[in-house]
Every structure is written in C-alpha cells, then in structure tokens.
C-alpha cells in the first residue's frame, strides 16, 4: 500500500487525553523517553501512510453512505498542545520540533466504523479501494484494512474510549 510514506500513522484507543499522550508520546508528554504504543500496552494498529485528514475521512464518509466533500468533523490536535508557535520553532527542546503529532478522532467516526454493517463492507471497500491517495495491493488488502479499522473502532466503543492517531515522521 502506498500513501504518504514520509509520515507514519498509528491508530489506537485510550480513555482520555492524558492516557493517550502517555501511551503515544511518553510519560507526561516527554517525547525524549522513547516510548512505543506496543511497549505501553496500547490497542493499536499500524496504518503506515493512511492519514486521518483525507484517507480515513474518505473511509468514514463511504461507511456513512455520504459523498466525500472534505467538510467533516476534523481530528483535534492533542499534542503538542496548541497554539503553534509564531514563525519556526527555534527552541531545540520545543515539542514542535519533534515532528510528532497526536490527534483525537471524532467519536462520530468511531461510531460509524464500529457499526458498519457487514453487508456494506464490500461496497465501502470498493469505493475506498479506488481513491487516488492510496495504492492498495489489491481489493482484498483494502478490505482487510477496512476490517482492521472496524475492529479497532468496535473495541474502542466497547471500552468507552476515544480513537487517536499518532503521526510521526
């Protein structure tokens, strides 16, 4: 699967922002700690270059049965904490210099993916397989990826948790 291969996207669920930051970035947001989602016991998926702003947004739109317009609820930046510093961050200790970004996905996306009927999966997959931002190996690879996102969303919903995306260079 080819997509934005310069940036990697890991999706996981956590009950709150503090837990998400601790699992994805490091204890209390210390990115120098060098933690990983797996080491922290997170329920996560490695989605390679499947970005939340276009690629996942299209999947959610197709799962909802609405045309993709690019105008949906957007992921919310959790870390580094906004606002972005004016100009280029010059402080080498600034978290803005890490390239790491942690975002919370809208709960509506979690719910749409978690409740997608099995009989709708082939049509949703067919639509998503055709997007230009990703070159899936084949239809079955796209279908497996849809199922993976659905399963993560189901587990998050059952746990009363939110979905998050860690974007890393």
């Amino acid at each position: 699967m080819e997509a934005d291969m310069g940036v990697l996207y890991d999706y996981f669920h956590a009950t709150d922002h503090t837990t998400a930051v601790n699992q994805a970035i490091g204890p209390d947001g210390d990115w120098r700690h060098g933690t990983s989602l797996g080491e922290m016991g997170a329920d996560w998926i490695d989605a390679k270059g499947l970005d939340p702003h276009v690629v996942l947004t299209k999947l959610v739109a197709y799962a909802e049965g609405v045309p993709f317009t690019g105008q949906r609820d957007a992921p919310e930046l959790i870390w580094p904490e906004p606002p972005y510093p004016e100009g280029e961050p010059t402080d080498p200790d600034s978290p803005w210099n890490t390239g790491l970004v942690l975002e919370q996905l809208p709960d509506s996306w979690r719910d749409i993916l978690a409740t997608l009927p099995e009989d709708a999966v082939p049509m949703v997959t067919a639509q998503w397989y055709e997007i230009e931002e990703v070159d899936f190996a084949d239809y079955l690879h796209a279908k497996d990826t849809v199922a993976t996102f659905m399963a993560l969303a189901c587990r998050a919903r059952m746990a009363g948790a939110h979905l998050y995306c860690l974007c890393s260079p």
Side-chain angles (χ1 to χ4, degrees):
M1 143 180 47
E2 285 184 35
D4 182 0
M5 294 311 290
V7 179
L8 299 177
Y9 301 94
D10 296 327
Y11 293 85
F12 66 103
H13 68 79
T15 54
D16 56 51
H17 294 352
T18 301
T19 302
V21 169
N22 287 342
Q23 288 181 331
I25 306 301
D28 299 319
D30 181 3
W31 70 92
R32 290 167 240 140
H33 185 272
T35 183
S36 75
L37 289 167
E39 292 171 346
M40 297 303 291
D43 180 2
W44 68 286
I45 60 173
D46 175 358
K48 304 279 187 238
L50 302 181
D51 84 283
H53 293 275
V54 177
V55 176
L56 190 60
T57 302
K58 286 186 176 186
L59 174 60
V60 172
Y62 302 149
E64 190 176 23
V66 299
F68 173 74
T69 63
Q71 299 176 337
R72 300 193 60 80
D73 294 337
E76 175 189 358
L77 179 64
I78 301 302
W79 191 92
E81 290 186 25
Y84 185 80
E86 300 254 344
E88 291 293 319
T90 56
D91 179 0
D93 288 329
S94 169
W96 290 100
N97 284 328
T98 65
L100 293 173
V101 175
L102 178 63
E103 298 177 310
Q104 180 185 343
L105 305 181
D107 286 341
S108 61
W109 293 15
R110 175 202 62 202
D111 296 343
I112 289 165
L113 293 172
T115 60
L116 180 64
E118 277 300 318
D119 63 347
V121 171
M123 181 56 74
V124 169
T125 300
Q127 288 177 288
W128 201 45
Y129 176 66
E130 295 295 327
I131 68 173
E132 63 186 54
E133 293 83 6
V134 181
D135 184 18
F136 289 103
D138 55 28
Y139 172 84
L140 293 177
H141 181 226
K143 187 176 180 187
D144 287 346
T145 305
V146 170
T148 299
F149 274 110
M150 288 173 57
L152 180 67
C154 283
R155 293 190 303 272
R157 193 168 189 227
M158 287 177 51
H162 310 285
L163 289 176
Y164 292 87
C165 180
L166 174 63
C167 311
S168 56

